[in-house]
Amino acid sequence: MEKIKEALSDDLLGKTVGIRGWVYRIRSSGKITFIVMRDSTGIIQCIASSENLNDEQMKEISSLTIESSIELSGKLRKEPRAVTGYEISLQSYKIYERNENFPIAKDLGEEFLLDNRHLWLRSREFTAVLKIRSTVFKAFADYFYKEDYYQVQAPMFVSTATEGGSSLFNVDYFGEKVNLTQSSQFYLETLIYSLEKVFTIAPSFRAEKSRTRRHLTEYWHAEGEAAWYSNEDMMADEEKMIKYIIDEVLKNNLEDLEIIKRDINKIKNIKIPFERIKYKDLIEKSKEFGMNLKYGDDLGADEEYGIMVHFDNPIFVTDYPESLKTFYHRPDPDNPGEILCHDLLAPEGYGEVLGGGERIYDLQQLLDRIKENNLNPEDYYWYVDLRKYGSIPHSGFGLGLDRLVMWICGLSNVRETIPYPRTIRRVKP
C-alpha cells in the first residue's frame, strides 16, 4: 500500500498501486464513477468503470458516500483534468465502512460545526492547519534544543497563582482547594538553578470571561527561563525562535498554506531583528493611527489590533508601567515606575503572542512587590526561597502557541487552530 502522496509520481505510471483512506468526493456519470480519495498525505482521483468491474461491483462503488472508508488498487496514469494530475483506474477494492449521509457540508452554522468538531476535523483545510500546528510545536522544541535548553515538565495542579485569582480555575483536590495552572513559569524558575536554561510545552488554564477571537480557557503554552539572561538577551532568543519556526513552516508546509489560502509573502518577508518600541513611545505613536490612548492604559485585543494592522513585521513593546505587570517582573533600576519586560506583537492586527522579561531576583524587592499586590508571602514560600539561596539575574517568556499558529496561518479566530477549543461557552465534544 502506498500513501497517496507517494502514489503521485511519474515513477509509478502504468504500475498497479494500492491506497487506502476515505471518500472525499464522488460522482457517477453513466457507466463511470469518479471517486476522489483522501488520506493524511493528500488526495487523488480514482475512476471505476465497467471495463474492470462487474455490474454488482459498479453498483456498490457508485453507492458509496462521502467519508466511507475503502482500500483499493489499480493502475496509475496521468490525467491533467484530475484534481492532482494523476488518476487510478480501479481494478479491485475492499469497503470497510459504507456511511449514511455524512453530516458535515458547506454553509452549515458555526455552532453546528463546533458541536460536530470530531467530524469537521477531517476537512482538508483543518487538516492543513493541524499539519502546520505540528510543525510549529516541533520547531519550537528543536530551536531550544539547538540552543542548549533542556525540556522539563511542571505540575498542572498548583497552589499558587502567577497571573491573579480572578482568572483561576479552582479544583477540589481530595478536600483541599487547588488551581489548574495558569503558567509553568515559577516551576521553570526553580529548575534554572540546576539546568540553567529550560523550556516546556504544556497546557495552561485561564478562567477569563473573554469572548475575543484570540482567547481560549485552555491553551497550549510554550515557556522558557534562562539563568544570567537580561531582558535583551531573552528577546534575542525569542526573535530567532520565531524566525526559525516560520522558516520551518515555509520549508515543510507550503502546500498546506496554499490549501488554507494564506498569503505566503506575509510570513516569508518577516525579518529579524524585530523593532523594539518602549510602551510610552507606542502610546504616543498610536495617535498617528487615530487612537486615543494615554499612558497607563492596558493594551487589549482591540488596542493591539488597531496598532498592529499598521505593521508588517512583529514588534517588541518594552518597558511597561509597573502597574500593568504582575509582581514577579523586575522594576527597571534606571527608570522608576517601569518594568524590564516585553510583549511580542504580531503584525496584520494579530497582536500579542508572547510576553516575557526579567524576574525579580532580590529577596526584599520580591517581598515588597508581593505585599504591594496584597498577596500572602506564605503562599509563595518556595518561590521566595529561590531568592534566599544562590539567587541570580534571570529572564523568561511565555508564548501562546495557538495564537502563533493563528497568525502564521492567517486565521480569523484562535478556535480554528486547535482540534477541540475550550472557551467560556464550550466544553464539548
Side-chain angles (χ1 to χ4, degrees), residues 140 144 214 221-224 231 234-242 245 274 304 314-317 320 325 329 341-346 350-357 359 396-401 403-404 407:
F140 175 86
F144 283 105
R214 62 181 196 172
H221 211 174
E223 300 179 87
N231 193 42
M234 200 78 260
M235 287 189 285
D237 264 8
E238 291 161 4
E239 64 191 357
K240 286 183 285 187
M241 171 266 293
I242 295 292
I245 290 174
F274 300 152
E304 290 172 4
I315 64 170
F316 280 116
V317 182
Y320 278 78
K325 293 297 178 181
H329 284 283
C341 67
H342 58 271
D343 285 347
L344 181 65
L345 308 188
Y350 281 95
E352 183 194 353
V353 295
L354 178 154
R359 316 312 191 186
F397 72 90
L399 166 67
L401 285 167
R403 288 187 184 181
L404 181 62
W407 164 48

Side-chain angles (χ1 to χ4, degrees), residues 255-358:
E255 183 180 337
D256 301 309
L257 291 166
E258 290 170 5
I259 288 172
I260 62 175
K261 297 180 172 57
R262 176 55 160 149
D263 183 347
I264 295 172
N265 289 323
K266 295 285 189 180
I267 53 176
K268 186 181 286 186
N269 294 329
I270 297 300
K271 300 289 188 294
I272 57 174
F274 300 152
E275 182 180 1
R276 277 81 163 139
I277 303 177
K278 289 190 174 185
Y279 166 88
K280 63 182 178 183
D281 295 331
L282 185 65
I283 293 297
E284 190 65 30
K285 188 176 182 62
S286 69
K287 295 174 183 176
E288 301 173 15
F289 310 140
M291 304 176 72
N292 188 29
L293 295 176
K294 61 183 184 296
Y295 189 88
D297 286 347
D298 202 359
L299 300 181
D302 292 340
E303 292 78 15
E304 290 172 4
Y305 176 85
I307 292 168
M308 294 311 296
V309 290
H310 301 281
F311 287 84
D312 297 322
N313 213 55
I315 64 170
F316 280 116
V317 182
T318 67
D319 304 271
Y320 278 78
E322 195 171 292
S323 60
L324 294 182
K325 293 297 178 181
T326 40
F327 71 91
Y328 52 77
H329 284 283
R330 184 179 176 227
D332 186 345
D334 299 322
N335 295 288
E338 294 183 353
I339 295 291
L340 292 167
C341 67
H342 58 271
D343 285 347
L344 181 65
L345 308 188
E348 304 174 72
Y350 281 95
E352 183 194 353
V353 295
L354 178 154
E358 293 188 29

